[in-house]
Amino acid sequence: MRRSFKFLVRPTAKQAVALTACLDDHRALYNGALEHRRSAYSQAGVTIRYGDQSVELKEIRAVDPGGQGRWSFSSQQTTLRRLDKAFAAFFRRFKAGDKPGYPRFKGRGWFDTVEWPRDGDGCRWDSQPHYPSATYVRLQGIGHVRVHQHRPIRGQVKTISIKREGARWYVVLSCDDVPTQPLPQTGAVVGLDMGVASLVTTSDGDHLVNPRHLETSAEHLSVAQQDLARKKRGSKRRRKAVVRVAALHAKIRRQRLDGAHKAALGLARGYDVIVHEALRIANMTKAPTPKPDGAGGHLPNGAAAKSGLSKSILDAGWGVFLRILGHKAESAGRQLIAVDPRNTSRTCARCGHCAKENRPSQARFRCTACGHQAHADVNAAVNILRAGLALRQGVQVA
Ligand SMILES: [Zn+2]
């Protein structure tokens, strides 16, 4: 099993300067490589590939020993690969008939991670093991940086990344061969409905992760973004506004993770089998297409700036929750089943009658055939559980 561990790092003032330089240089490398690919193609019709850029990197390092040459060759290669992946994704989507955006230059604040692909290659986890009270990570060009390791890691450290979030720095370890810690069987099964009022509602009627605090943060973020949009480019006020927006994004991420961790842990402890909707997050976050009103203008389609923002935050919340639930379920030896959510919200969990009219409001379910009444999300969660158990039985029979 593979999983990642994230810890706050406490760089000295000098190390913080070096970390910033490291991030800036990797960003410059990314942007330079992007520019090269772009101009080579537009001016000469030549396609530049990762292999070409990796060879070129050697030359760049040789002529700039105090700049790009300071850092790990491997972390720089990883940055070039990252650009290569962005291009691969662009071409894949283009061929599939989508309208993907061309890979973009990364501005300050849009490039926050440097990854070293192997422990021991330009980086070393637990680099000062003789210090009893603190953990350090050694990063080439930066030194031994103190890590606030708030819990033990398990498995084998593979990649090491450094990540900037607002004013904080984190180290992210991706570990392989993490042993699972199976939990005792409970004999209980559960279905999960992903909703708006509660992020998750269970077939047992529990409402988990109230996204209201996320909504509040979304409002603050919306105000901060509008404020940022009014600031003049390159001004000091604008830089401050950027920091504020980044800090709010970071806060939302933390809130999301907190709620998701708690809910996922509770579910993994309580149930042997957990069934959830297969969400297509990418589709869900797409803005609704505007409805033409026949007079050249457009009718409002419910995608107002604010609701759009809180919706995308909610969608991301589901994605994060499912990812964490996946990790916890795997680690605890629980079975996680994804089912097609079609019709689960309009089908009666008691008699199976499926009609739009069964759902008079967002929160209520009332079957027009048998009169069964329930909280709409609980009714849906029961249907999801049933679909998952049917799927599971089918698999076991086959
Ligand atoms: Zn019914």
Side-chain angles (χ1 to χ4, degrees):
M1 198 175 120
R2 194 182 182 109
R3 58 170 298 187
S4 53
F5 299 86
K6 182 175 172 188
F7 303 115
L8 188 67
V9 297
R10 304 195 188 285
T12 63
K14 213 171 156 189
Q15 288 172 341
V17 170
L19 280 169
T20 304
C22 177
L23 198 58
D24 281 346
D25 280 353
H26 281 76
R27 182 167 68 91
L29 184 70
Y30 184 96
N31 285 339
L34 170 56
E35 173 58 33
H36 188 200
R37 285 191 183 219
R38 223 163 72 140
S39 58
Y41 189 79
S42 67
Q43 287 162 19
V46 173
T47 303
I48 307 268
R49 296 184 198 284
Y50 166 76
D52 309 322
Q53 299 201 306
S54 181
V55 169
E56 226 170 293
L57 175 59
K58 270 186 205 147
E59 291 155 21
I60 293 171
R61 289 172 59 87
V63 299
D64 187 16
Q68 293 289 359
R70 289 177 281 179
W71 317 116
S72 151
F73 186 54
S74 300
S75 65
Q76 291 174 320
Q77 280 182 314
T78 303
T79 299
L80 293 178
R81 274 205 197 91
R82 185 171 151 189
L83 176 69
D84 197 53
K85 275 185 200 150
F87 269 95
F90 168 75
F91 287 121
R92 194 168 53 241
R93 292 190 55 197
F94 188 77
K95 274 182 196 144
D98 288 352
K99 286 183 207 144
Y102 193 80
R104 290 190 192 198
F105 290 102
K106 302 281 185 186
R108 202 180 286 273
W110 294 98
F111 189 97
D112 54 15
T113 304
V114 173
E115 183 189 306
W116 287 260
R118 271 175 308 279
D119 186 15
D121 179 3
C123 64
R124 172 69 73 192
W125 173 246
D126 198 10
S127 57
Q128 307 263 53
H130 48 281
Y131 276 83
S133 57
T135 309
Y136 290 85
V137 62
R138 191 187 71 78
L139 303 168
Q140 183 175 334
I142 295 153
H144 298 275
V145 187
R146 190 169 172 169
V147 179
H148 179 65
Q149 191 189 347
H150 61 280
R151 59 186 171 128
I153 61 162
R154 289 179 290 127
Q156 194 71 37
V157 176
K158 286 311 221 196
T159 73
I160 297 179
S161 303
I162 219 70
K163 190 159 193 270
R164 181 168 65 190
E165 284 182 20
R168 303 172 202 229
W169 292 91
Y170 293 89
V171 63
V172 181
L173 309 173
S174 175
C175 296
D176 260 353
D177 308 323
V178 177
T180 56
Q181 298 176 310
L183 291 174
Q185 299 274 304
T186 62
V189 295
V190 73
L192 309 179
D193 179 67
M194 313 290 222
V196 176
S198 313
L199 201 62
V200 178
T201 300
T202 74
S203 49
D204 288 343
D206 295 327
H207 302 280
L208 309 175
V209 197
N210 183 341
R212 198 170 303 144
H213 55 274
L214 278 179
E215 260 166 52
T216 311
S217 301
E219 272 165 38
H220 292 164
L221 179 59
S222 169
V223 170
Q225 280 177 340
Q226 282 163 19
D227 182 51
L228 170 63
R230 280 194 296 268
K231 300 283 186 279
K232 217 192 282 168
R233 275 197 160 274
S235 69
K236 197 171 172 188
R237 279 159 187 251
R238 186 183 158 91
R239 266 207 303 284
K240 276 190 177 164
V242 167
V243 169
R244 204 151 45 233
V245 167
L248 280 167
H249 270 295
K251 184 177 176 192
I252 288 172
R253 268 196 302 272
R254 278 199 301 274
Q255 286 177 330
R256 220 185 246 153
L257 279 173
D258 259 15
H261 265 292
K262 277 184 201 130
L265 189 63
L267 290 165
R269 283 198 180 131
Y271 300 95
D272 297 341
V273 178
I274 303 166
V275 187
H276 66 86
E277 314 169 34
L279 284 179
R280 309 209 25 192
I281 305 282
N283 287 343
M284 296 186 62
T285 47
K286 249 184 214 162
T289 27
K291 294 177 196 144
D293 63 1
H298 285 98
L299 292 170
N301 60 3
K306 198 192 113 199
S307 72
L309 185 64
S310 52
K311 191 184 170 311
S312 70
I313 284 172
L314 203 62
D315 288 352
W318 286 325
V320 166
F321 169 74
L322 285 181
R323 192 160 45 78
I324 292 172
L325 181 63
H327 290 171
K328 298 243 192 277
E330 191 183 356
S331 169
R334 303 308 201 199
Q335 194 177 7
L336 197 61
I337 302 172
V339 297
D340 181 355
R342 236 176 311 167
N343 290 332
T344 48
S345 62
R346 51 173 73 170
T347 301
C348 173
R350 186 193 280 163
C351 75
H353 177 62
C354 177
K356 201 165 64 188
E357 294 70 31
N358 283 348
R359 188 132 180 214
S361 74
Q362 182 66 38
R364 274 185 62 220
F365 186 92
R366 192 172 183 289
C367 179
T368 54
C370 78
H372 172 60
Q373 292 199 44
H375 187 290
D377 294 344
V378 176
N379 179 77
V382 172
N383 287 328
I384 287 163
L385 172 59
R386 190 168 294 152
L389 293 180
L391 208 62
R392 180 170 173 247
Q393 206 143 44
V395 169
Q396 281 174 350
V397 167

